[in-house]
Amino acid sequence: MKHMQKILSVLVLLALCCGLFAACGGGNASQTESQSSSSQSESQPQPETVEKTAVRVGLIKGPTGIGAVQLWDKSDRDETKNDYTFSLAAAPTDMVSRVAAGEVDIAALPTNTAAALYRKTSGNVQLLALNTEGVLYILENGDGIQKMSDLRGKTIYANGQGANPEYVLNYLLRENGLTPGEDVTVEFRDADEIATLMAAGEIDVCMLPVPNVTSVLMKNADVRIALDLTEEWNALDNGSILTMGCVVVQKAFAEQNPEAVAAFLEEYRESVESVAADPEAAAPLVEKYEITGSAAIAKAAIPDCNLVCITGADVKTSIEGYYKVLQQADPTSIGGELPGDDFYYTAE
């Protein structure tokens, strides 16, 4: 009996030893596997996190804002090189205040306003790109206006007081022998208000930009385009191009973030070209971002918006003639004198 107990004790002891060795061996294998996995993980290249530059972009309702909608949409989908924050203003004066206060880094503005702001900020604003050529039209409910001189004795409802529309209209009136305020009465109102009045037949003559023009024509079949002010400008053969919209940048921001500015120009050009090439695809975005109130109007208007993206050395050669005309007609329209060379942004 004692002999059997000894045998059983030996067997139990052997079983315990085997279990202990198995446990130790399993632990070493697990540790080895973990170390191997860790080593492989460390040896594999980890994806780099590229920090995007924050860029605050200000747009204005109407043609100067339309070209940016594809960029705005890509930004919302986080598919852009910069981290953009967009804001929208109804009138140039609102955006001028934001630029002057440093609330935006890049902004779309009328070209004359950009030059005046350059003076107002002592050169702290630079012209980055031209984005819109001529977009102004005289509309008439009737058929009595065939040439500029036919505006004598008329009351014209117009938008853009203190900006390109006012100065362009006044210049063209004077060049055609008419004195604003004497031979022609000009009533300045908000563009949307004028469009509503014209479409309802409550006024007979107005000056509006696209896409407001498109909206009126779609709503009132009795209204027609009497004069294309780009054609009237070109007929004067004054050595300039009617260039009405642009993009400016805060000088300090451009100096501190040249790569971000270069990325913006690349992405903005792509956006403008995309919008111009495919109005049907861009139109819903124009409505979505409230640049205009209707995708149908945007689709019809985009081909007449004369969207461009002129950058670099071409900017000065394209706009300087226009600034010289404005300076001769009314120096206050561009801040008193022509902008200096430092007004024109050039990449280092």
Side-chain angles (χ1 to χ4, degrees):
M1 186 68 175
K2 289 181 180 181
H3 181 68
M4 286 296 294
Q5 288 177 342
K6 287 182 179 179
I7 293 173
L8 288 171
S9 296
V10 171
L11 291 173
V12 170
L13 181 61
L14 288 173
L16 288 172
C17 289
C18 289
L20 179 61
F21 290 141
C24 290
N28 289 337
S30 176
Q31 183 178 2
T32 301
E33 182 179 349
S34 175
Q35 290 174 346
S36 175
S37 176
S38 175
S39 176
Q40 290 177 359
S41 176
E42 290 176 0
S43 65
Q44 293 177 352
Q46 299 299 311
E48 292 184 7
T49 301
V50 179
E51 185 175 348
K52 296 183 178 182
T53 302
V55 183
R56 300 167 298 173
V57 180
L59 302 176
I60 302 172
K61 289 187 176 184
T64 60
I66 287 176
V69 294
Q70 291 285 7
L71 176 58
W72 196 341
D73 183 55
K74 286 182 66 177
S75 176
D76 281 352
R77 292 184 275 114
D78 195 25
E79 295 177 359
T80 53
K81 296 179 180 180
N82 293 320
D83 180 14
Y84 297 107
T85 300
F86 287 87
S87 62
L88 185 66
T93 51
D94 296 332
M95 190 54 64
V96 166
S97 299
R98 296 181 198 180
V99 175
E103 295 174 2
V104 295
D105 306 307
I106 292 173
L109 290 173
T111 47
N112 81 289
T113 304
L117 192 57
Y118 163 79
R119 290 294 172 194
K120 183 179 180 180
T121 61
S122 301
N124 288 327
V125 170
Q126 292 183 296
L127 184 56
L128 194 58
L130 301 176
N131 68 4
T132 316
E133 294 182 345
V135 294
L136 293 174
Y137 298 85
I138 298 290
L139 300 184
E140 181 190 19
N141 192 342
D143 60 0
I145 300 171
Q146 304 296 329
K147 54 187 181 299
M148 289 295 298
S149 59
D150 291 334
L151 292 170
R152 185 181 299 274
K154 305 288 186 183
T155 295
I156 304 172
Y157 288 81
N159 76 305
Q161 188 172 24
N164 276 318
E166 178 182 9
Y167 299 117
V168 169
L169 177 60
N170 287 344
Y171 173 72
L172 290 174
L173 289 173
R174 292 191 181 103
E175 289 296 306
N176 285 275
L178 302 174
T179 301
E182 295 180 11
D183 300 313
V184 180
T185 300
V186 182
E187 292 280 348
F188 287 99
R189 303 281 183 87
D190 176 77
D192 290 338
E193 179 185 357
I194 296 172
T196 299
L197 293 171
M198 197 72 188
E202 296 182 25
I203 58 177
D204 294 325
V205 183
C206 72
M207 179 186 72
L208 284 172
V210 174
N212 296 98
V213 168
T214 313
S215 172
V216 173
L217 295 177
M218 290 176 68
K219 294 176 181 178
N220 190 334
D222 294 328
V223 175
R224 70 182 185 91
I225 293 177
L227 299 170
D228 178 342
L229 295 193
T230 300
E231 291 182 359
E232 297 299 324
W233 186 281
N234 293 339
L236 297 175
D237 194 21
N238 58 21
S240 71
I241 300 171
L242 184 55
T243 310
M244 300 185 64
C246 67
V247 178
V248 300
V249 62
Q250 300 277 6
K251 184 176 182 180
F253 179 86
E255 290 175 345
Q256 295 166 13
N257 303 279
E259 293 182 357
V261 172
F264 167 79
L265 287 174
E266 178 185 341
E267 295 181 310
Y268 182 67
R269 179 182 297 278
E270 291 173 356
S271 180
V272 171
E273 291 176 351
S274 175
V275 171
D278 193 350
E280 185 171 1
L285 298 178
V286 177
E287 179 182 12
K288 174 183 176 181
Y289 295 117
E290 300 180 353
I291 307 296
T292 67
S294 162
I297 291 172
K299 178 183 174 181
I302 288 171
D304 296 322
C305 283
N306 293 323
L307 301 178
V308 295
C309 186
I310 299 172
T311 60
D314 293 335
V315 172
K316 184 177 180 180
T317 56
S318 297
I319 192 68
E320 195 168 43
Y322 177 60
Y323 281 153
K324 287 179 179 178
V325 170
L326 290 185
Q327 182 194 30
Q328 293 171 359
D330 186 347
T332 61
S333 66
I334 58 170
E337 58 184 312
L338 291 174
D341 289 341
D342 61 327
F343 173 58
Y344 302 96
Y345 175 82
T346 53
E348 295 297 332

